[in-house]
Structure formats: C-alpha cells, structure tokens
Amino acid sequence: MLDALGRNIRYLRISVTDRCNLRCRYCMPAEGVEWVDHSAILTYEQITRLVGLFAAMGVEKVRLTGGEPLVRKGLDSLVRSIKQTPGIRSVYLTTNGLLLADQLPGLLEAGLDGVNLSLDTLDRTQFEAITRRDELDRALAGLNAALAAPGLTVKLNCVPSGENDDQLVPLAALAKDRELAVRFIELMPIGLGSSLTRRTEAEVLTILEAAFGPALPCPQEAGGGPGRYVTFPGFRGKVGFISAVSHRFCQSCDRVRLTAGGFLKTCLQYDCGADLKALLDAGAGDAALAAAIRAAITKKPEGHHFGQASTGRDEGRNMNQIGG
C-alpha cells in the first residue's frame, strides 16, 4: 500500500480507548477530561474487520495503544483475532504496565509478540509528580513480568522532559544486565506537550556517555523502524532514540493510526485522514471502506512541521485522544 510519495504503509497503530489510569502531564489534564462516549468507540468486531482490510492492502504489523489499552476489558480476545488475520505477522502492545502483570498470561496465550512499556522515572516521588498517581510499584511489576516472559520482545519508552534528567542514567542502566531496549522518545509539541520542556537526542546522549563511556553503534532494527540504537561497554541490552523533532524520519514513515473513535490519521501532526467509524455505522461495504483507506493514504502528508510554520490543519487534541 503506497502513498503518493512511494512510502510503503505496513504498520497500523490502533487506539482501543482514550481512557487511562494515569494522568501524565504531557498527555492528559489532571481534571476535566472529556471522554469519548462508549457508543462512539470502535467495537472489537469493527477493529478486526478493518484490520482485515488493512492486511489485504499490505499492513503486516499492528500495535494496540490508548489511552491505556489494558483498561478496556477482554483485550486478549482482540489480540487473538488480529493475530489470526491473514497477512498480519505481529501484534504489539504499548502500555504503562499497571495492569500488565495480571493480564500478560492471557495476552501471551492469544499470541502477543511484544510490549513497549512507558516509564519516565524510577523515583517514586517523581513518578507521582509526572503521572499524578502513586503507582510506580505496579508499573515495575508489569515490566518485570514482561521481562520474565519467554519469547516476548520488551522495550521501555522514556520521554525526557527536563524534570527527569536525573533518571535518564538509571533508566538506561536497566539495559546493562538485561536483553532490554531502553528508548528515549523526544517530547513532541502536540497537545499538552507543546508547553513542556523537552530534551533532544544529543542532550540525552551526552548525559549517558558521561556515565557509561562512548556509545557503540548497533545494527538497525529489522523492519526499518525510526529508532536509532547504540549500546555501551558491558551492556547486554541497548539504548534507542526516537527523535521526531531533531532527527526527522518522515521520508521513511510506514505507519498510520486509527483512533479509538475510528478516525484514520495518516500523520500525527495533522488533523487529516478518514472517518472510518462513520462509514461503518452507515453500513459501508468492504469496497467502500477500502476505497476510503486508499484515498486517505494517497493524501498522507509529506511530513510534520514541528518547529516550523504550519502548512496545514494541525492536530489540536491531546495524545490520549489521538492514540499513543
């Protein structure tokens, strides 16, 4: 499935809910969150149907996100349905980890291939300040459960925001004795993140090299994702950087997003795409849905304009509403 620039779209990120059991400062306000009504959220049956269409057009990898996807009941049944879809090679989950330890056995049985766990600090006080919840123990229990699961790919995602500078080294050190990828993701100026401090890849790498010595290059990940990986002397695991602002990777973008409300987003920066939920609710057939998907993909923007003048209709929602 090629867009107008010849980029091969193989990766679909699906938000299954806008709800979350944390209130991270760069993602959601502390109070007054306007939730999408349950009737306006895609059902699992609708998601599975759309995945089948995307797979028939070339999508191979699916990631389930939120909000926090594990707050939606029966997620293992959705994982199973997606994994059984012809053409889908892998299904991954992005989670804050709070509910992961309890639900992981069912997810593994359903065929889950990997977990990305979001964790910005190992300090309890700082965790509560960032997430507005005192839940570090449950997040760490989820991480440990994932690391103990045989065959499961595990990555830890940290957003360096200035207030967790003292935690970048301790988080990276988790990869020293484990087969773990610790990734530092630049805070993108979207929603609440627009007003917060961010650390660039270069700034983070300087901090890490001062602690661990010169970074050693790692081979590019299979699948050609946007992560740039290094390791350090004595490390079993690796450290990655996803730097959409300082190291723009739009020219190789192979992904699109489906919000919990069924809107197909072709670029994180812009409010453009196709309302697939409206078509589903109107009784559209597979041919009409596929045509809408292809039309949206064809108009996928060339790239974002973070740090530059706007060139289109910018996204105004917070990350929990878009899908992480």
Side-chain angles (χ1 to χ4, degrees), residues 153-174:
T153 300
V154 184
K155 299 176 182 178
L156 188 151
N157 291 342
C158 168
V159 177
S161 61
E163 65 181 307
N164 60 345
D165 283 355
D166 65 333
Q167 292 296 297
L168 304 184
V169 168
L171 285 166
L174 293 174

Side-chain angles (χ1 to χ4, degrees), residues 15 18 65-66 190-191 257-260 263 265 268 315-324:
S15 174
D18 62 330
T65 73
I190 293 177
R257 297 167 183 261
L258 189 61
T259 71
F263 189 83
K265 278 183 64 65
L268 186 60
E315 178 61 73
R317 293 173 291 179
N318 289 323
M319 284 300 296
N320 71 296
Q321 299 168 312
I322 299 169

Side-chain angles (χ1 to χ4, degrees), residues 127 158 280 305:
F127 184 93
C158 168
L280 287 165
H305 64 85

